[in-house]
C-alpha cells in the first residue's frame, strides 16, 4: 500500500469513527477530493455545513469558509487542517474599516461577500457569495447598496443591475487580479474556438472578454451543459484540474500560470489526517459575534439561490 493510499484509508476510518464530514472547496489540491464528502463553491459548502448532522466538520478551504460553517453549526466542532489558510481579500476589511465606510453612507444597506470575517459579517445586512451576489443585491429592493469587501464582484453586480447604485469597498482578490486582459487575448489567439469562462473577482476587462462569468460551481456547470470542446479557464487552477478530470474528452487551458491561490493550497492529505487525529485546528467564534453574524448568512441562505 502506498503512503497516499494508507493516508486515505486512515482518513476514511477516522471519519466513520468520529462521525465527521469533510467539505472541500474546488480550489483545493485535487487529491483532497478522494476523501471529501462534498466538493463545491462557497455557497454550496455553506449549505452543506448548515444541513449536516455530523459532529465534526473538517473544512478544506480558507478560514472564512470554516468560520461560516461554525456560525451555521455552533454545536459542531469545525476544524481547519492548516491554520495558515486565510484569505487575503477577507483580511482587507476589519470591523473599524467597515464602520468608517458605513458612517459615510448612513442608512444604506450593506451586502457582505462571505469572503470576510465573522466580525464584519455581524454588522452587515445580508451576505452573498459569488454565485448569488446579483440576486442578493436585487432582493433588497434598494436604490443604493454598500458592497464589501470586493470591489470587482461589486462592480460586476452593478453592471447586471443598472437601477441599483452599488457602492463598493476597495478590497480585491490578489489571485484573480493576477489574471490580465492580455492573458485572455493571448490564449484566445492560441485557441480560437475556445470559450472563455471567468470568475467575477477578475478585472472588468477580463470579464468583458469572457463568454461566461460565474462562481466556481457555475463555471463547472457551464462546461457540463455545453457541447463545446475547448475552454479557457480564468479562475483558480483547481477548477481547471477538476474539469480535466471530469471531462476527459474536452480541452481546458488555464488562462495564466499565475492563477493559483497559495492560501487554498495549504491543506494536504496529511493535514486532513492530522486534523482528524488531533481534532485541530478548531475554529472558535465569540458567541455574541456568531449570533449577530448568523442573521446575514441565514438571510442569504433563506433566498435559496
Ligand atoms: P466561489 O464563491 O466561487 O466559491 O469563490 C470563492 C472564492 O474565494 C473565490 O476566490
Ligand atoms: Fe481569497 Fe482570492 Fe484565495 Fe479566493 S482566491 S480564497 S478570494 S485570496
Amino acid at each position: 500500500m502506498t503512503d497516499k493510499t494508507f493516508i486515505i484509508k486512515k482518513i476514511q476510518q477516522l471519519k466513520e469513527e468520529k462521525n465527521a464530514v469533510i467539505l472541500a472547496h474546488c480550489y483545493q489540491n485535487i487529491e483532497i477530493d478522494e476523501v471529501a464528502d462534498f466538493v463545491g463553491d462557497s455557497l454550496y459548502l455553506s449549505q452543506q455545513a448548515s444541513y449536516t448532522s455530523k459532529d465534526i466538520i473538517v473544512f478544506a478551504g480558507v478560514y472564512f469558509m470554516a468560520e461560516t460553517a461554525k456560525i451555521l453549526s455552533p454545536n459542531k466542532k469545525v476544524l481547519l487542517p492548516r491554520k495558515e489558510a486565510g484569505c487575503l481579500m477577507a483580511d482587507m476589511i476589519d470591523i473599524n474599516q467597515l464602520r468608517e465606510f458605513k458612517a459615510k453612507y448612513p442608512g444604506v444597506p450593506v451586502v457582505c461577500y462571505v469572503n470576510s470575517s465573522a466580525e464584519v459579517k455581524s454588522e452587515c445586512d445580508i451576505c452573498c457569495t459569488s454565485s448569488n451576489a446579483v440576486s442578493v443585491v436585487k432582493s433588497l429592493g434598494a436604490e443604493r447598496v454598500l458592497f464589501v469587501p470586493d470591489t470587482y464582484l461589486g462592480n460586476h453586480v452593478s453592471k447586471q443591475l443598472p437601477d441599483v447604485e452599488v457602492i463598493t469597498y476597495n478590497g480585491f482578490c490578489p489571485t484573480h487580479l493576477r489574471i490580465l486582459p492580455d492573458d485572455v487575448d493571448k490564449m484566445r489567439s492560441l485557441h480560437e474556438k475556445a470559450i472563455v469562462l471567468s470568475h467575477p473577482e477578475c478585472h472588468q476587462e477580463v470579464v468583458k472578454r469572457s463568454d461566461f462569468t460565474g462562481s466556481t460551481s457555475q463555471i463547472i456547470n457551464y462546461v457540463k451543459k455545453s457541447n463545446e470542446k475547448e475552454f479557457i479557464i480564468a479562475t483558480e487552477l483547481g477548477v481547471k484540474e477538476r474539469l480535466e478530470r471530469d471531462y476527459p474528452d474536452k480541452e481546458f487551458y488555464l488562462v495564466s500560470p499565475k492563477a493559483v491561490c497559495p492560501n487554498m493550497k495549504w491543506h494536504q492529505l496529511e493535514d486532513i489526517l492530522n486534523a482528524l487525529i488531533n481534532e485541530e485546528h478548531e475554529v472558535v467564534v465569540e458567541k455574541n459575534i456568531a449570533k449577530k453574524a448568523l442573521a446575514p448568512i441565514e438571510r442569504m441562505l433563506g433566498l435559496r439561490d
Side-chain angles (χ1 to χ4, degrees):
M1 200 184 288
T2 64
D3 274 6
K4 185 177 159 190
T5 331
F6 177 76
I7 293 173
I8 291 175
K9 208 163 158 229
K10 282 297 295 172
I11 293 174
Q12 304 290 20
Q13 268 171 8
L14 280 167
K15 263 206 303 188
E16 286 291 306
E17 270 170 49
K18 298 202 171 194
N19 197 29
V21 64
I22 300 180
L23 307 182
H25 191 268
C26 32
Y27 291 168
Q28 289 292 296
N29 292 309
I30 195 162
E31 58 187 14
I32 287 177
D33 289 15
E34 295 178 51
V35 295
D37 298 284
F38 301 98
V39 181
D41 68 2
S42 347
L43 178 64
Y44 176 74
L45 296 178
S46 54
Q47 286 166 336
Q48 296 310 319
S50 74
Y51 302 148
T52 189
S53 59
K54 302 284 181 183
D55 298 318
I56 295 181
I57 299 173
V58 179
F59 215 116
V62 287
Y63 188 79
F64 75 80
M65 296 178 178
E67 201 178 46
T68 304
K70 179 67 187 175
I71 295 165
L72 283 163
S73 298
N75 300 324
K76 307 200 188 289
K77 195 175 256 192
V78 178
L79 306 173
L80 187 68
R82 287 293 292 261
K83 54 175 185 284
E84 301 92 332
C87 164
L88 296 173
M89 180 199 290
D91 293 342
M92 287 179 186
I93 187 165
D94 64 20
I95 191 67
N96 294 322
Q97 290 164 316
L98 174 71
R99 285 176 185 157
E100 265 174 44
F101 185 54
K102 284 173 67 168
K104 288 192 215 156
Y105 306 96
V108 180
V110 191
V111 177
C112 176
Y113 190 22
V114 282
N115 298 35
S116 54
S117 67
E119 213 177 8
V120 164
K121 288 183 179 79
S122 75
E123 295 195 14
C124 292
D125 296 284
I126 187 164
C127 282
C128 75
T129 72
S130 61
S131 64
N132 62 15
V134 173
S135 49
V136 164
V137 171
K138 208 169 160 187
S139 76
L140 295 173
E143 281 173 16
R144 288 176 107 195
V145 164
L146 301 185
F147 193 96
V148 299
D150 188 9
T151 189
Y152 292 87
L153 179 59
N155 288 334
H156 177 67
V157 170
S158 173
K159 290 244 154 32
Q160 322 295 309
L161 300 174
D163 294 340
V164 186
E165 186 188 355
V166 182
I167 304 163
T168 67
Y169 193 71
N170 58 10
F172 57 90
C173 166
T175 297
H176 283 88
L177 290 200
R178 284 196 288 275
I179 301 172
L180 302 176
D182 229 31
D183 296 325
V184 181
D185 294 344
K186 276 186 200 142
M187 286 307 257
R188 265 213 200 269
S189 65
L190 286 173
H191 309 284
E192 285 174 4
K193 288 191 188 144
I195 303 290
V196 178
L197 306 176
S198 66
H199 195 278
E201 287 174 13
C202 291
H203 288 281
Q204 276 294 313
E205 284 304 315
V206 168
V207 168
K208 266 193 215 156
R209 285 161 164 75
S210 308
D211 297 294
F212 174 77
T213 299
S215 77
T216 50
S217 294
Q218 287 168 340
I219 288 175
I220 291 170
N221 280 336
Y222 185 100
V223 171
K224 187 176 172 187
K225 290 190 188 140
S226 171
N227 294 323
E228 300 293 335
K229 290 281 180 213
E230 290 180 69
F231 301 88
I232 294 164
I233 304 301
T235 187
E236 215 270 349
L237 170 70
V239 170
K240 183 239 182 196
E241 289 179 339
R242 284 167 177 80
L243 287 168
E244 267 171 347
R245 177 197 61 196
D246 297 340
Y247 301 95
D249 57 325
K250 299 182 192 243
E251 293 288 338
F252 301 96
Y253 315 103
L254 190 65
V255 69
S256 156
K258 294 183 181 162
V260 179
C261 173
N263 285 344
M264 281 281 183
K265 301 303 191 204
W266 274 109
H267 311 300
Q268 305 289 336
L269 281 172
E270 290 86 338
D271 302 312
I272 309 263
L273 178 59
N274 287 335
L276 280 165
I277 294 173
N278 304 317
E279 301 193 10
E280 68 185 11
H281 302 92
E282 188 172 353
V283 174
V284 180
V285 188
E286 200 271 314
K287 270 211 177 90
N288 269 330
I289 294 196
K291 208 172 143 197
K292 286 202 267 166
L294 181 62
I297 300 170
E298 281 194 326
R299 203 167 166 200
M300 165 186 81
L301 293 177
L303 296 177
R304 292 288 175 222
D305 196 289

